[in-house]
Amino acid sequence: MRQSPRNRCYPCDLDGGKVRIMDMIVVMRSTAVQADVDRVVERIGELGLKPSASRGEFRMLIGAAGQKSPTIMQQLEQLPGVDRVIAVTQPYKMASREFHEADTILDIKGLRVGGPHVNIIAGPCAIESRDMLFEIGRVVKDAGASILRGGAFKPRSSPYSYQGMGKRGLELLQEAGNELKMPTITEVTDPRDVEIVAEYADIFQIGARNMQNFNLLLEVGKTDKPVFIKRGLAASITEWLMSAEYVLSQGNHRVILCERGMRTFNEEVRFTLDVSAVPVAQERSHLPVFVDPSHAAGKRDLVPALALAAVAAGAAGLIIEVHSCPDKAMCDGPQAVLPARFKRLMDQLKQVAEIVDHRVTQWGDSPAQPRRVESGGWMS
Ligand code: PEP
Ligand code: MN
């Protein structure tokens, strides 16, 4: 298993099996030395709080669990090497805007994700064969998609439905990604598969049904691969952000959120897309927020409207299922967009993105200008 060097529990420190929630976070300067960190840790202990140090992307972060007060914060702020002390009021800490004001922009194999960049993830629901994956991969790449999707381990409502190609599917996805110069994303459903998925894919997808599989979240949090967390079918925004916090708490700061529709009484669509989740999650968190119009719609004709609405609402990207022969698809054929419609949709998305000061991005493009000023962000 590839372990991140930052792999330490923070700010939820697994303390004898209990999760300790941090009330303050001391952000050290990038120039701080070990002696400065030691002094802060010692002082937090003297104040009767529980310290927990961890290396962030650029600087050391020291959490303090216990009663916070303006006096304590002021005292800590004056210690050598300290940049600032943040009081975090939300139950999720490192996922919150309070902790990090600027939009997080991830660097995934040179592709920028988040901020003003709009990335379109596209591909089949499930990997079914080499020919099919490469054919669809070429179509979506040529149309402007930047990340290739394809399920190798499929979570199905029925145990008798197609369950995916497993390891062979991962091998094909890696081969296609390399040939097309597209980072890849695939779902991991079991903590025992994290190691093998990390070996072949560039981004872990956590499915809606696994959003609160806490052992799985902790396991992907111990790696250094980006984690794409789908919102559960009936999860609140806070629960969704707490799932992100599980990953961040393990030292993996590379998290992407994805709204994919929720269960309502509306039987016309597979799930009801919560477009408002985009601005709400963006207000509460610095993490990129994507939307999956395919699983929400359930029907290919509805996908473009939901996709355009999501980008108009400010989403950092979309994940769209595309198939050249959906009547033969093993999984989710009815919601797969056909190649010609996908191409036209991409052209429409580029226009809508511009209206909201975003830009549809592909690998090799120069970075777009962020709207917000970066303040020591997590360019990872
Ligand atoms: C998928 O992306 O193929 C999928 C199963 O999505 P969700 O977990 O959102 O249902
Ligand atoms: Mn699907």
Side-chain angles (χ1 to χ4, degrees), residues 107-158:
D107 180 339
I108 304 177
K109 285 187 148 175
L111 184 72
R112 277 153 199 268
V113 175
H117 310 93
V118 172
N119 281 276
I120 309 300
I121 306 172
C125 175
I127 301 160
E128 297 157 10
S129 73
R130 188 178 188 285
D131 287 352
M132 178 278 271
L133 181 64
F134 275 71
E135 185 188 327
I136 300 171
R138 272 188 210 101
V139 162
V140 299
K141 165 87 188 194
D142 291 349
S146 55
I147 299 171
L148 181 63
R149 71 154 283 154
F153 298 101
K154 293 304 301 172
R156 305 306 300 279
S157 300
S158 164

Side-chain angles (χ1 to χ4, degrees), residues 66-362:
Q67 198 59 44
K68 57 180 176 276
S69 77
T71 316
I72 288 178
M73 290 177 68
Q74 245 174 26
Q75 288 183 359
L76 291 172
E77 219 145 33
Q78 289 170 57
L79 294 175
V82 173
D83 180 19
R84 63 206 151 103
V85 180
I86 303 165
V88 189
T89 53
Q90 301 286 5
Y92 42 87
K93 307 291 169 181
M94 298 174 92
S96 72
R97 276 263 183 222
E98 288 174 321
F99 176 63
H100 182 9
E101 206 187 328
D103 288 345
T104 280
I105 300 176
L106 303 175
D107 180 339
I108 304 177
K109 285 187 148 175
L111 184 72
R112 277 153 199 268
V113 175
H117 310 93
V118 172
N119 281 276
I120 309 300
I121 306 172
C125 175
I127 301 160
E128 297 157 10
S129 73
R130 188 178 188 285
D131 287 352
M132 178 278 271
L133 181 64
F134 275 71
E135 185 188 327
I136 300 171
R138 272 188 210 101
V139 162
V140 299
K141 165 87 188 194
D142 291 349
S146 55
I147 299 171
L148 181 63
R149 71 154 283 154
F153 298 101
K154 293 304 301 172
R156 305 306 300 279
S157 300
S158 164
Y160 309 116
S161 298
Y162 179 68
Q163 304 285 319
M165 287 179 85
K167 181 165 181 277
R168 179 72 192 129
L170 294 177
E171 289 167 357
L172 293 174
L173 186 65
Q174 185 182 50
E175 199 190 326
N178 286 342
E179 188 168 310
L180 297 165
K181 290 207 165 41
M182 294 173 90
T184 57
I185 179 168
T186 198
E187 181 164 351
V188 59
T189 56
D190 187 320
R192 292 168 298 186
D193 293 333
V194 166
E195 194 167 347
I196 188 162
V197 172
E199 216 177 291
Y200 289 98
D202 300 309
I203 307 170
F204 289 113
Q205 179 175 325
I206 302 294
R209 290 155 193 83
N210 270 314
M211 189 203 85
Q212 288 188 316
N213 181 338
F214 301 119
N215 287 333
L216 182 60
L217 296 170
L218 291 172
E219 208 56 36
V220 293
K222 289 175 191 156
T223 75
D224 56 8
K225 296 256 175 190
V227 182
F228 186 87
I229 306 180
K230 292 243 186 135
R231 182 178 172 195
L233 279 58
S236 69
I237 303 257
T238 299
E239 286 165 337
W240 187 26
L241 294 176
M242 288 306 280
S243 293
E245 193 73 22
Y246 262 90
V247 177
L248 299 169
S249 75
Q250 298 303 293
N252 187 348
H253 296 272
R254 312 181 80 201
V255 174
I256 301 167
L257 301 164
C258 179
E259 157 63 33
R260 47 81 70 206
M262 53 197 194
R263 180 78 76 207
T264 67
F265 52 80
N266 182 359
E267 289 174 359
E268 304 303 315
V269 288
R270 192 172 176 190
F271 294 97
T272 299
L273 186 68
D274 181 7
V275 180
S276 64
V278 175
V280 172
Q282 281 175 342
E283 187 202 44
R284 299 219 204 149
S285 175
H286 53 89
L287 299 169
V289 182
F290 276 52
V291 166
D292 175 347
S294 303
H295 290 85
K299 296 175 199 151
R300 76 174 58 88
D301 291 350
L302 297 177
V303 172
L306 301 188
L308 291 162
V311 169
L318 303 171
I319 180 164
I320 303 180
E321 291 186 346
V322 177
H323 208 293
S324 42
C325 215
D327 51 333
K328 293 199 181 130
M330 303 296 288
C331 184
D332 286 349
Q335 69 196 31
V337 174
L338 293 162
R341 183 65 185 99
F342 181 70
K343 194 172 175 321
R344 192 153 74 82
L345 175 60
M346 284 300 301
D347 294 338
Q348 294 171 321
L349 289 169
K350 285 174 193 166
Q351 294 177 51
V352 172
E354 269 194 36
I355 293 170
V356 293
D357 297 327
H358 284 181
R359 198 174 77 193
V360 175
T361 307
Q362 264 193 317

